[in-house]
Amino acid sequence: MPARTGRSERLADLADATGARAYLCGTGGMTYLDHAPCTELGVAVVPFLSPATGLWASGRQVSALRALVFRGPDAVGARFRALAFAHDVLGCAA
């Protein structure tokens, strides 16, 4: 997969290559991510702070991979699809 050299450019290229319409960016990443490469490719950058309840209850203390390990890819995928649907319904899509 061809990708540009800057970290924000590489992230935008990866999102574009996978067909993503949005990139959920944690609070740390929001401080350094250059939104322009994503905007150029039609990928919305959406701030993400893990909820304090449910699937992500411990997400602020450990890696988000914890949900993947303990819930499995199907449950995590279903939750992300629900979030994406809610995002579209609210008119937040790129």
Side-chain angles (χ1 to χ4, degrees):
M1 175 180 97
R4 294 172 283 176
T5 57
R7 62 183 172 190
S8 295
E9 289 82 2
R10 285 192 309 270
L11 179 61
D13 292 341
L14 178 61
D16 185 55
T18 60
R21 297 181 330 242
Y23 171 69
L24 298 178
C25 187
T27 54
M30 290 297 286
T31 62
Y32 62 81
L33 179 70
D34 178 4
H35 295 214
C38 292
T39 302
E40 290 168 9
L41 296 174
V43 177
V45 176
V46 181
F48 180 77
L49 180 61
S50 58
T53 60
L55 176 66
W56 299 103
S58 61
R60 295 181 188 168
Q61 289 82 33
V62 298
S63 167
L65 292 177
R66 178 182 170 90
L68 186 61
V69 170
F70 285 98
R71 301 294 178 118
D74 292 336
V76 173
R79 184 65 182 134
F80 276 125
R81 284 188 294 280
L83 287 169
F85 177 76
H87 190 258
D88 287 346
V89 168
L90 294 174
C92 302

